[in-house]
Amino acid sequence: MINKSIFKVTLLFILFSFFQMQGQIAYNGNPDTSFETARKLAFNQQRKQAQDTLINILTKYPNYHEIRSFLATTYAWDGDYKKARKEFAYVIEKAPENKENWIAAIKNESWSEAPYEALEMSKKALKIFPNDSDLTILKATALKNTNNSLEAQNTIKEFVTKNPDDQKSKEFLDDLNSTLRTNTIGIRAAVDLYSKTFDPMQYYTLSYGKQTKYGSIIGKYNFNRRFNENGSQIEFDLYPKITKGLYAYLNVGFANTFLFPDLRYGAELYKSLPHSLEISAGFRTLKYSTTTNIYTGSIGWYTGNSYWSLRPYFTPGEGGTSTSAALNYRKYRSNADNYISFMYSMGVSPEVNQFLFDTNDSPIVNLKTQRFNISYFFSTSKNKNAWGAQFDIAHQEISFDPGNYFWIYSLTLSWDLRFK
């Protein structure tokens, strides 16, 4: 019995040593010849064999950057963008002066439907290779895919002005001009269903937006049916560009019904930071028979084709300052119009809570509420039509019956039509 155990242990040790020795066998061929063989394999749809060969070469020549870059490219061809990103990051760190590596790495981000990451990389590359045609086009492409077509147009126009003989950029500008749409008409419809106490509530918005070189402006007509009453509101949103990496949000709205504040206005500043971060700070003011001031801000982070943001709300009142917060995650696909979103919030903000209708009832601000939202947005060919669907579920305390709760189920559908 003991002999059998010793035999098994010895056999396992021998096998382990054998496989370990196999893994330690170093590459001992001609790297250039092997590289050429791997290229032929890759171009003949034998990429797994090509990748094995390239990896084997790199065990002895880890800084043969052309081989590592080609390995990353084969990963990108296979749709293995994460592996490709790792290899491109290595060669760019070791040899940042190689423009082709930057181009391939930015394309990998675009193919992986990570336009914000592609934009950040193109900006970094242009600091090393200023006024480069290929990198400028890649930057403009990323701007277009992040729903900043007008900025993409301005970027290429500026380059063409400095380089009137660059045919590639002129062709890109012509193609961009043919698809650029700066006008948007939108329709939004929503309904809230309550588990008890209230009848369904309906919300509708008709909007028109215009993009300009100074920013965008959106006019909205909001119509609500709540508590067996109808009411409407006129509202304007502006997003002026102040300087590079700094823009603002301005809002003003007017109504003559208790379903909306008589007057609402607000402002917020947004600032881009290194490492794909963005912060903001601002306020909202709602005027019913009394005035409510809400202070808010956000911190956002773009990572690959994902976006995270945290937004708190602080509402001072006679009973103290109430606090609520929302955590949002978005997973982008091909561009800024195509993504899935998840949001979780706790507490109530008078700005976003549709149940609020009279800020004289101050305890409502401090209700114990949890809310979860899932949204899906997508666009048709060339982004002419953009669609959205949202489902929201909330568990909220009843303002006139503290300690008792109801459920709110919300469904929202939206459609935007873009045109020149």
Side-chain angles (χ1 to χ4, degrees), residues 274-334:
H275 307 294
S276 302
L277 291 170
E278 182 181 69
I279 60 171
S280 72
F283 73 95
R284 313 286 190 267
T285 295
L286 310 178
K287 288 192 173 184
Y288 292 85
S289 55
T290 60
T291 299
T292 299
N293 293 306
I294 308 157
Y295 300 95
T296 185
S298 67
I299 179 167
W301 178 42
Y302 293 96
T303 171
N305 55 344
S306 296
Y307 172 72
W308 292 89
S309 72
L310 177 65
R311 176 176 289 277
Y313 295 90
F314 305 97
T315 308
E318 293 182 2
T321 299
S322 68
T323 304
S324 62
L327 177 66
N328 180 234
Y329 170 73
R330 291 181 182 180
K331 182 74 170 181
Y332 287 98
R333 293 168 55 223
S334 56

Short mmCIF file of all heavy atoms in Angstrom, two decimals, residues 274-334:
data_model
loop_
_atom_site.label_atom_id
_atom_site.label_comp_id
_atom_site.label_asym_id
_atom_site.label_seq_id
_atom_site.Cartn_x
_atom_site.Cartn_y
_atom_site.Cartn_z
N PRO A 274 -7.67 64.17 -16.57
CA PRO A 274 -6.87 63.05 -17.09
C PRO A 274 -7.49 61.71 -16.72
O PRO A 274 -8.33 61.61 -15.83
CB PRO A 274 -5.50 63.26 -16.41
CG PRO A 274 -5.47 64.71 -16.04
CD PRO A 274 -6.89 65.08 -15.72
N HIS A 275 -7.03 60.68 -17.41
CA HIS A 275 -7.46 59.30 -17.17
C HIS A 275 -8.95 59.11 -17.46
O HIS A 275 -9.63 58.31 -16.80
CB HIS A 275 -7.14 58.85 -15.73
CG HIS A 275 -5.73 59.07 -15.33
ND1 HIS A 275 -4.68 58.37 -15.92
CD2 HIS A 275 -5.17 59.92 -14.42
CE1 HIS A 275 -3.54 58.77 -15.38
NE2 HIS A 275 -3.80 59.71 -14.47
N SER A 276 -9.47 59.86 -18.44
CA SER A 276 -10.86 59.70 -18.91
C SER A 276 -11.89 59.98 -17.81
O SER A 276 -12.97 59.40 -17.80
CB SER A 276 -11.07 58.29 -19.47
OG SER A 276 -10.18 58.03 -20.52
N LEU A 277 -11.56 60.88 -16.90
CA LEU A 277 -12.48 61.27 -15.84
C LEU A 277 -13.16 62.59 -16.18
O LEU A 277 -12.62 63.39 -16.94
CB LEU A 277 -11.74 61.40 -14.51
CG LEU A 277 -11.20 60.12 -13.87
CD1 LEU A 277 -10.28 60.45 -12.71
CD2 LEU A 277 -12.34 59.23 -13.41
N GLU A 278 -14.34 62.81 -15.62
CA GLU A 278 -15.06 64.06 -15.79
C GLU A 278 -15.80 64.38 -14.49
O GLU A 278 -16.40 63.49 -13.88
CB GLU A 278 -16.07 63.94 -16.94
CG GLU A 278 -16.85 65.22 -17.21
CD GLU A 278 -17.86 65.07 -18.33
OE1 GLU A 278 -18.85 64.35 -18.12
OE2 GLU A 278 -17.65 65.63 -19.42
N ILE A 279 -15.73 65.63 -14.06
CA ILE A 279 -16.46 66.05 -12.87
C ILE A 279 -17.37 67.22 -13.20
O ILE A 279 -17.16 67.91 -14.21
CB ILE A 279 -15.50 66.45 -11.72
CG1 ILE A 279 -14.61 67.61 -12.14
CG2 ILE A 279 -14.70 65.27 -11.24
CD1 ILE A 279 -13.79 68.20 -11.01
N SER A 280 -18.37 67.43 -12.37
CA SER A 280 -19.28 68.56 -12.58
C SER A 280 -19.82 69.04 -11.24
O SER A 280 -19.79 68.31 -10.24
CB SER A 280 -20.43 68.16 -13.50
OG SER A 280 -21.34 67.30 -12.82
N ALA A 281 -20.33 70.26 -11.23
CA ALA A 281 -20.97 70.82 -10.05
C ALA A 281 -21.97 71.87 -10.51
O ALA A 281 -21.70 72.64 -11.44
CB ALA A 281 -19.94 71.45 -9.12
N GLY A 282 -23.16 71.89 -9.86
CA GLY A 282 -24.16 72.86 -10.27
C GLY A 282 -25.34 72.88 -9.32
O GLY A 282 -25.28 72.34 -8.20
N PHE A 283 -26.43 73.47 -9.77
CA PHE A 283 -27.62 73.60 -8.94
C PHE A 283 -28.86 73.59 -9.82
O PHE A 283 -28.81 73.79 -11.04
CB PHE A 283 -27.58 74.92 -8.14
CG PHE A 283 -27.84 76.13 -9.00
CD1 PHE A 283 -29.11 76.67 -9.12
CD2 PHE A 283 -26.80 76.72 -9.73
CE1 PHE A 283 -29.35 77.78 -9.93
CE2 PHE A 283 -27.04 77.82 -10.54
CZ PHE A 283 -28.32 78.36 -10.64
N ARG A 284 -30.01 73.34 -9.18
CA ARG A 284 -31.33 73.45 -9.82
C ARG A 284 -32.22 74.21 -8.84
O ARG A 284 -32.15 74.01 -7.63
CB ARG A 284 -31.95 72.08 -10.10
CG ARG A 284 -31.02 71.07 -10.77
CD ARG A 284 -30.76 71.37 -12.23
NE ARG A 284 -30.07 70.24 -12.84
CZ ARG A 284 -28.75 70.14 -12.94
NH1 ARG A 284 -27.98 71.10 -12.42
NH2 ARG A 284 -28.19 69.10 -13.53
N THR A 285 -33.07 75.07 -9.36
CA THR A 285 -34.03 75.81 -8.55
C THR A 285 -35.43 75.59 -9.09
O THR A 285 -35.67 75.73 -10.30
CB THR A 285 -33.70 77.31 -8.54
OG1 THR A 285 -32.44 77.51 -7.89
CG2 THR A 285 -34.77 78.09 -7.78
N LEU A 286 -36.36 75.19 -8.20
CA LEU A 286 -37.76 74.96 -8.56
C LEU A 286 -38.63 75.93 -7.76
O LEU A 286 -38.56 75.96 -6.52
CB LEU A 286 -38.16 73.52 -8.24
CG LEU A 286 -37.25 72.40 -8.76
CD1 LEU A 286 -37.77 71.05 -8.30
CD2 LEU A 286 -37.15 72.45 -10.28
N LYS A 287 -39.44 76.72 -8.45
CA LYS A 287 -40.30 77.70 -7.79
C LYS A 287 -41.76 77.30 -7.94
O LYS A 287 -42.35 77.39 -9.01
CB LYS A 287 -40.07 79.09 -8.37
CG LYS A 287 -38.73 79.69 -7.97
CD LYS A 287 -38.66 81.17 -8.31
CE LYS A 287 -37.38 81.79 -7.75
NZ LYS A 287 -37.33 83.26 -7.99
N TYR A 288 -42.35 76.81 -6.86
CA TYR A 288 -43.79 76.62 -6.74
C TYR A 288 -44.30 77.81 -5.92
O TYR A 288 -43.91 78.95 -6.15
CB TYR A 288 -44.09 75.30 -6.06
CG TYR A 288 -43.74 74.07 -6.88
CD1 TYR A 288 -42.45 73.55 -6.87
CD2 TYR A 288 -44.71 73.42 -7.63
CE1 TYR A 288 -42.13 72.41 -7.61
CE2 TYR A 288 -44.42 72.28 -8.37
CZ TYR A 288 -43.13 71.78 -8.36
OH TYR A 288 -42.82 70.66 -9.09
N SER A 289 -45.13 77.58 -4.92
CA SER A 289 -45.50 78.66 -4.00
C SER A 289 -44.34 78.99 -3.08
O SER A 289 -44.26 80.09 -2.52
CB SER A 289 -46.73 78.25 -3.18
OG SER A 289 -46.48 77.03 -2.51
N THR A 290 -43.42 78.05 -2.92
CA THR A 290 -42.15 78.30 -2.25
C THR A 290 -41.04 77.86 -3.18
O THR A 290 -41.27 77.23 -4.22
CB THR A 290 -42.05 77.52 -0.93
OG1 THR A 290 -42.16 76.12 -1.21
CG2 THR A 290 -43.15 77.94 0.04
N THR A 291 -39.82 78.15 -2.82
CA THR A 291 -38.66 77.86 -3.68
C THR A 291 -37.82 76.74 -3.09
O THR A 291 -37.52 76.75 -1.88
CB THR A 291 -37.80 79.11 -3.87
OG1 THR A 291 -38.58 80.14 -4.50
CG2 THR A 291 -36.58 78.80 -4.75
N THR A 292 -37.47 75.79 -3.93
CA THR A 292 -36.59 74.70 -3.53
C THR A 292 -35.29 74.78 -4.32
O THR A 292 -35.31 74.84 -5.55
CB THR A 292 -37.25 73.34 -3.78
OG1 THR A 292 -38.45 73.23 -3.00
CG2 THR A 292 -36.31 72.20 -3.39
N ASN A 293 -34.16 74.77 -3.62
CA ASN A 293 -32.84 74.77 -4.26
C ASN A 293 -32.22 73.39 -4.09
O ASN A 293 -32.23 72.82 -2.99
CB ASN A 293 -31.93 75.82 -3.64
CG ASN A 293 -32.42 77.24 -3.93
OD1 ASN A 293 -32.62 77.59 -5.09
ND2 ASN A 293 -32.60 78.03 -2.88
N ILE A 294 -31.70 72.87 -5.16
CA ILE A 294 -31.07 71.55 -5.15
C ILE A 294 -29.65 71.72 -5.65
O ILE A 294 -29.41 72.32 -6.70
CB ILE A 294 -31.81 70.58 -6.09
CG1 ILE A 294 -33.31 70.58 -5.76
CG2 ILE A 294 -31.23 69.18 -5.98
CD1 ILE A 294 -34.17 70.13 -6.92
N TYR A 295 -28.68 71.18 -4.90
CA TYR A 295 -27.28 71.26 -5.28
C TYR A 295 -26.82 69.86 -5.70
O TYR A 295 -27.08 68.88 -4.99
CB TYR A 295 -26.44 71.81 -4.14
CG TYR A 295 -26.90 73.19 -3.73
CD1 TYR A 295 -27.80 73.36 -2.67
CD2 TYR A 295 -26.47 74.31 -4.43
CE1 TYR A 295 -28.25 74.62 -2.32
CE2 TYR A 295 -26.92 75.58 -4.09
CZ TYR A 295 -27.81 75.73 -3.04
OH TYR A 295 -28.27 76.98 -2.70
N THR A 296 -26.16 69.81 -6.83
CA THR A 296 -25.79 68.50 -7.37
C THR A 296 -24.43 68.58 -8.06
O THR A 296 -23.84 69.65 -8.22
CB THR A 296 -26.86 68.01 -8.36
OG1 THR A 296 -26.55 66.68 -8.79
CG2 THR A 296 -26.94 68.91 -9.60
N GLY A 297 -23.96 67.46 -8.45
CA GLY A 297 -22.69 67.36 -9.17
C GLY A 297 -22.54 65.92 -9.63
O GLY A 297 -23.44 65.10 -9.45
N SER A 298 -21.41 65.62 -10.22
CA SER A 298 -21.22 64.25 -10.68
C SER A 298 -19.73 63.98 -10.86
O SER A 298 -18.93 64.91 -11.02
CB SER A 298 -21.95 64.00 -12.00
OG SER A 298 -21.36 64.77 -13.05
N ILE A 299 -19.40 62.71 -10.82
CA ILE A 299 -18.08 62.26 -11.22
C ILE A 299 -18.29 61.10 -12.19
O ILE A 299 -19.05 60.16 -11.89
CB ILE A 299 -17.20 61.85 -10.02
CG1 ILE A 299 -15.83 61.37 -10.52
CG2 ILE A 299 -17.88 60.81 -9.14
CD1 ILE A 299 -14.81 61.24 -9.42
N GLY A 300 -17.69 61.21 -13.36
CA GLY A 300 -17.87 60.19 -14.39
C GLY A 300 -16.53 59.64 -14.85
O GLY A 300 -15.50 60.32 -14.77
N TRP A 301 -16.55 58.39 -15.31
CA TRP A 301 -15.31 57.74 -15.75
C TRP A 301 -15.60 56.89 -16.97
O TRP A 301 -16.46 56.01 -16.94
CB TRP A 301 -14.77 56.87 -14.61
CG TRP A 301 -13.52 56.11 -14.96
CD1 TRP A 301 -12.43 56.57 -15.65
CD2 TRP A 301 -13.22 54.75 -14.63
NE1 TRP A 301 -11.48 55.61 -15.77
CE2 TRP A 301 -11.94 54.47 -15.15
CE3 TRP A 301 -13.91 53.76 -13.94
CZ2 TRP A 301 -11.34 53.23 -15.00
CZ3 TRP A 301 -13.31 52.52 -13.80
CH2 TRP A 301 -12.04 52.26 -14.32
N TYR A 302 -14.89 57.19 -18.06
CA TYR A 302 -14.95 56.39 -19.27
C TYR A 302 -13.81 55.39 -19.25
O TYR A 302 -12.64 55.77 -19.12
CB TYR A 302 -14.82 57.26 -20.52
CG TYR A 302 -15.99 58.20 -20.75
CD1 TYR A 302 -15.95 59.52 -20.30
CD2 TYR A 302 -17.14 57.76 -21.40
CE1 TYR A 302 -17.03 60.38 -20.51
CE2 TYR A 302 -18.21 58.60 -21.61
CZ TYR A 302 -18.15 59.91 -21.16
OH TYR A 302 -19.21 60.75 -21.36
N THR A 303 -14.14 54.12 -19.37
CA THR A 303 -13.11 53.09 -19.40
C THR A 303 -13.47 52.09 -20.51
O THR A 303 -14.45 51.36 -20.40
CB THR A 303 -12.96 52.37 -18.05
OG1 THR A 303 -12.11 51.24 -18.18
CG2 THR A 303 -14.31 51.94 -17.48
N GLY A 304 -12.66 52.12 -21.58
CA GLY A 304 -13.00 51.29 -22.74
C GLY A 304 -14.33 51.75 -23.30
O GLY A 304 -14.54 52.92 -23.60
N ASN A 305 -15.25 50.81 -23.47
CA ASN A 305 -16.59 51.17 -23.98
C ASN A 305 -17.61 51.20 -22.84
O ASN A 305 -18.80 51.01 -23.06
CB ASN A 305 -17.03 50.20 -25.07
CG ASN A 305 -16.98 48.75 -24.61
OD1 ASN A 305 -16.37 48.42 -23.61
ND2 ASN A 305 -17.63 47.89 -25.35
N SER A 306 -17.13 51.46 -21.62
CA SER A 306 -18.01 51.56 -20.46
C SER A 306 -17.94 52.96 -19.86
O SER A 306 -16.93 53.66 -20.00
CB SER A 306 -17.62 50.53 -19.40
OG SER A 306 -17.79 49.22 -19.87
N TYR A 307 -19.02 53.33 -19.18
CA TYR A 307 -19.07 54.64 -18.52
C TYR A 307 -19.75 54.47 -17.17
O TYR A 307 -20.83 53.88 -17.06
CB TYR A 307 -19.85 55.64 -19.38
CG TYR A 307 -20.13 56.95 -18.68
CD1 TYR A 307 -19.11 57.86 -18.46
CD2 TYR A 307 -21.42 57.28 -18.26
CE1 TYR A 307 -19.35 59.08 -17.82
CE2 TYR A 307 -21.67 58.49 -17.63
CZ TYR A 307 -20.63 59.38 -17.41
OH TYR A 307 -20.88 60.57 -16.78
N TRP A 308 -19.10 55.01 -16.13
CA TRP A 308 -19.65 54.99 -14.78
C TRP A 308 -19.86 56.44 -14.32
O TRP A 308 -19.03 57.31 -14.62
CB TRP A 308 -18.69 54.33 -13.79
CG TRP A 308 -18.50 52.86 -14.00
CD1 TRP A 308 -17.58 52.25 -14.81
CD2 TRP A 308 -19.23 51.81 -13.37
NE1 TRP A 308 -17.70 50.89 -14.73
CE2 TRP A 308 -18.72 50.58 -13.85
CE3 TRP A 308 -20.27 51.78 -12.45
CZ2 TRP A 308 -19.19 49.35 -13.44
CZ3 TRP A 308 -20.77 50.56 -12.04
CH2 TRP A 308 -20.23 49.35 -12.53
N SER A 309 -20.94 56.69 -13.60
CA SER A 309 -21.12 58.02 -13.03
C SER A 309 -21.86 57.92 -11.70
O SER A 309 -22.71 57.06 -11.52
CB SER A 309 -21.89 58.94 -13.98
OG SER A 309 -23.25 58.58 -14.06
N LEU A 310 -21.50 58.83 -10.81
CA LEU A 310 -22.16 58.93 -9.51
C LEU A 310 -22.63 60.37 -9.35
O LEU A 310 -21.84 61.31 -9.49
CB LEU A 310 -21.19 58.57 -8.39
CG LEU A 310 -21.74 58.72 -6.96
CD1 LEU A 310 -22.88 57.73 -6.72
CD2 LEU A 310 -20.63 58.52 -5.94
N ARG A 311 -23.92 60.55 -9.07
CA ARG A 311 -24.49 61.89 -8.92
C ARG A 311 -25.27 61.98 -7.62
O ARG A 311 -26.29 61.32 -7.45
CB ARG A 311 -25.40 62.22 -10.10
CG ARG A 311 -26.12 63.58 -9.97
CD ARG A 311 -26.93 63.91 -11.20
NE ARG A 311 -26.08 64.23 -12.31
CZ ARG A 311 -25.54 65.43 -12.54
NH1 ARG A 311 -25.78 66.43 -11.69
NH2 ARG A 311 -24.79 65.64 -13.59
N PRO A 312 -24.82 62.83 -6.69
CA PRO A 312 -25.59 63.09 -5.46
C PRO A 312 -26.46 64.33 -5.62
O PRO A 312 -26.20 65.19 -6.48
CB PRO A 312 -24.49 63.33 -4.43
CG PRO A 312 -23.39 63.95 -5.22
CD PRO A 312 -23.47 63.37 -6.61
N TYR A 313 -27.51 64.43 -4.79
CA TYR A 313 -28.37 65.60 -4.73
C TYR A 313 -28.48 66.03 -3.26
O TYR A 313 -28.71 65.20 -2.38
CB TYR A 313 -29.77 65.29 -5.25
CG TYR A 313 -29.84 64.94 -6.71
CD1 TYR A 313 -29.72 63.61 -7.13
CD2 TYR A 313 -30.04 65.92 -7.68
CE1 TYR A 313 -29.78 63.27 -8.46
CE2 TYR A 313 -30.12 65.58 -9.03
CZ TYR A 313 -29.99 64.26 -9.41
OH TYR A 313 -30.07 63.93 -10.74
N PHE A 314 -28.34 67.32 -3.01
CA PHE A 314 -28.46 67.87 -1.67
C PHE A 314 -29.55 68.94 -1.69
O PHE A 314 -29.43 69.93 -2.43
CB PHE A 314 -27.13 68.46 -1.20
CG PHE A 314 -25.99 67.49 -1.26
CD1 PHE A 314 -25.13 67.50 -2.35
CD2 PHE A 314 -25.78 66.56 -0.26
CE1 PHE A 314 -24.07 66.61 -2.44
CE2 PHE A 314 -24.73 65.66 -0.33
CZ PHE A 314 -23.88 65.68 -1.42
N THR A 315 -30.60 68.74 -0.88
CA THR A 315 -31.74 69.66 -0.88
C THR A 315 -31.95 70.22 0.52
O THR A 315 -32.48 69.54 1.40
CB THR A 315 -33.01 68.92 -1.34
OG1 THR A 315 -32.76 68.26 -2.58
CG2 THR A 315 -34.17 69.90 -1.51
N PRO A 316 -31.49 71.47 0.76
CA PRO A 316 -31.69 72.08 2.08
C PRO A 316 -33.17 72.35 2.34
O PRO A 316 -33.93 72.65 1.43
CB PRO A 316 -30.91 73.40 1.97
CG PRO A 316 -29.99 73.23 0.81
CD PRO A 316 -30.71 72.32 -0.14
N GLY A 317 -33.57 72.22 3.60
CA GLY A 317 -34.95 72.49 3.99
C GLY A 317 -35.02 72.84 5.45
O GLY A 317 -34.00 72.82 6.18
N GLU A 318 -36.22 73.14 5.94
CA GLU A 318 -36.39 73.53 7.33
C GLU A 318 -35.98 72.40 8.28
O GLU A 318 -35.49 72.64 9.39
CB GLU A 318 -37.84 73.93 7.59
CG GLU A 318 -38.25 75.20 6.88
CD GLU A 318 -39.68 75.59 7.20
OE1 GLU A 318 -40.31 74.87 8.01
OE2 GLU A 318 -40.16 76.59 6.64
N GLY A 319 -36.19 71.18 7.87
CA GLY A 319 -35.84 70.05 8.72
C GLY A 319 -34.43 69.57 8.54
O GLY A 319 -34.05 68.50 9.04
N GLY A 320 -33.61 70.31 7.80
CA GLY A 320 -32.24 69.89 7.52
C GLY A 320 -32.05 69.64 6.03
O GLY A 320 -32.94 69.88 5.22
N THR A 321 -30.89 69.14 5.68
CA THR A 321 -30.56 68.87 4.28
C THR A 321 -30.78 67.41 3.96
O THR A 321 -30.20 66.53 4.61
CB THR A 321 -29.10 69.26 3.98
OG1 THR A 321 -28.93 70.66 4.21
CG2 THR A 321 -28.75 68.94 2.54
N SER A 322 -31.62 67.14 2.97
CA SER A 322 -31.84 65.76 2.55
C SER A 322 -30.84 65.41 1.46
O SER A 322 -30.37 66.27 0.71
CB SER A 322 -33.26 65.57 2.02
OG SER A 322 -33.44 66.29 0.82
N THR A 323 -30.51 64.14 1.40
CA THR A 323 -29.50 63.67 0.44
C THR A 323 -30.04 62.47 -0.32
O THR A 323 -30.66 61.58 0.25
CB THR A 323 -28.20 63.26 1.17
OG1 THR A 323 -27.73 64.36 1.93
CG2 THR A 323 -27.14 62.84 0.18
N SER A 324 -29.79 62.47 -1.61
CA SER A 324 -30.09 61.29 -2.43
C SER A 324 -28.94 61.12 -3.41
O SER A 324 -28.13 62.03 -3.60
CB SER A 324 -31.41 61.46 -3.17
OG SER A 324 -31.35 62.57 -4.05
N ALA A 325 -28.85 59.96 -4.04
CA ALA A 325 -27.73 59.71 -4.96
C ALA A 325 -28.13 58.65 -5.96
O ALA A 325 -28.98 57.78 -5.68
CB ALA A 325 -26.48 59.28 -4.19
N ALA A 326 -27.50 58.72 -7.15
CA ALA A 326 -27.76 57.75 -8.21
C ALA A 326 -26.45 57.28 -8.79
O ALA A 326 -25.55 58.09 -9.08
CB ALA A 326 -28.63 58.37 -9.31
N LEU A 327 -26.32 55.97 -8.95
CA LEU A 327 -25.15 55.36 -9.58
C LEU A 327 -25.58 54.80 -10.93
O LEU A 327 -26.54 54.03 -11.01
CB LEU A 327 -24.59 54.24 -8.70
CG LEU A 327 -23.40 53.46 -9.28
CD1 LEU A 327 -22.18 54.37 -9.41
CD2 LEU A 327 -23.07 52.25 -8.40
N ASN A 328 -24.87 55.21 -11.98
CA ASN A 328 -25.25 54.82 -13.34
C ASN A 328 -24.10 54.12 -14.04
O ASN A 328 -22.93 54.52 -13.90
CB ASN A 328 -25.67 56.07 -14.13
CG ASN A 328 -26.09 55.76 -15.56
OD1 ASN A 328 -25.59 56.33 -16.51
ND2 ASN A 328 -27.03 54.83 -15.73
N TYR A 329 -24.42 53.07 -14.79
CA TYR A 329 -23.42 52.36 -15.61
C TYR A 329 -23.96 52.23 -17.03
O TYR A 329 -25.12 51.84 -17.22
CB TYR A 329 -23.13 50.97 -15.05
CG TYR A 329 -22.30 50.13 -16.00
CD1 TYR A 329 -20.95 50.39 -16.19
CD2 TYR A 329 -22.90 49.09 -16.73
CE1 TYR A 329 -20.20 49.62 -17.07
CE2 TYR A 329 -22.15 48.32 -17.60
CZ TYR A 329 -20.80 48.59 -17.78
OH TYR A 329 -20.06 47.84 -18.67
N ARG A 330 -23.13 52.57 -18.00
CA ARG A 330 -23.49 52.41 -19.40
C ARG A 330 -22.46 51.55 -20.13
O ARG A 330 -21.25 51.71 -19.91
CB ARG A 330 -23.57 53.77 -20.11
CG ARG A 330 -24.72 54.65 -19.66
CD ARG A 330 -24.71 55.95 -20.45
NE ARG A 330 -25.78 56.84 -20.02
CZ ARG A 330 -26.00 58.04 -20.54
NH1 ARG A 330 -25.22 58.48 -21.52
NH2 ARG A 330 -26.99 58.79 -20.09
N LYS A 331 -22.96 50.69 -20.98
CA LYS A 331 -22.09 49.87 -21.83
C LYS A 331 -22.36 50.26 -23.27
O LYS A 331 -23.42 49.97 -23.83
CB LYS A 331 -22.40 48.38 -21.61
CG LYS A 331 -21.52 47.45 -22.42
CD LYS A 331 -20.12 47.36 -21.86
CE LYS A 331 -19.32 46.25 -22.51
NZ LYS A 331 -17.97 46.14 -21.95
N TYR A 332 -21.41 50.99 -23.87
CA TYR A 332 -21.59 51.48 -25.23
C TYR A 332 -21.25 50.40 -26.25
O TYR A 332 -20.43 49.52 -26.01
CB TYR A 332 -20.69 52.70 -25.48
CG TYR A 332 -21.17 53.95 -24.78
CD1 TYR A 332 -20.61 54.34 -23.57
CD2 TYR A 332 -22.17 54.73 -25.33
CE1 TYR A 332 -21.05 55.49 -22.91
CE2 TYR A 332 -22.61 55.88 -24.68
CZ TYR A 332 -22.05 56.25 -23.49
OH TYR A 332 -22.48 57.37 -22.84
N ARG A 333 -21.88 50.54 -27.41
CA ARG A 333 -21.57 49.65 -28.53
C ARG A 333 -20.84 50.47 -29.58
O ARG A 333 -19.76 50.96 -29.34
CB ARG A 333 -22.85 49.02 -29.05
CG ARG A 333 -23.49 48.06 -28.02
CD ARG A 333 -24.90 47.65 -28.39
NE ARG A 333 -25.00 47.09 -29.70
CZ ARG A 333 -25.97 47.38 -30.57
NH1 ARG A 333 -26.91 48.25 -30.23
NH2 ARG A 333 -26.00 46.82 -31.75
N SER A 334 -21.42 50.65 -30.78
CA SER A 334 -20.68 51.29 -31.87
C SER A 334 -20.47 52.78 -31.67
O SER A 334 -19.47 53.34 -32.11
CB SER A 334 -21.41 51.06 -33.20
OG SER A 334 -22.75 51.54 -33.13
#
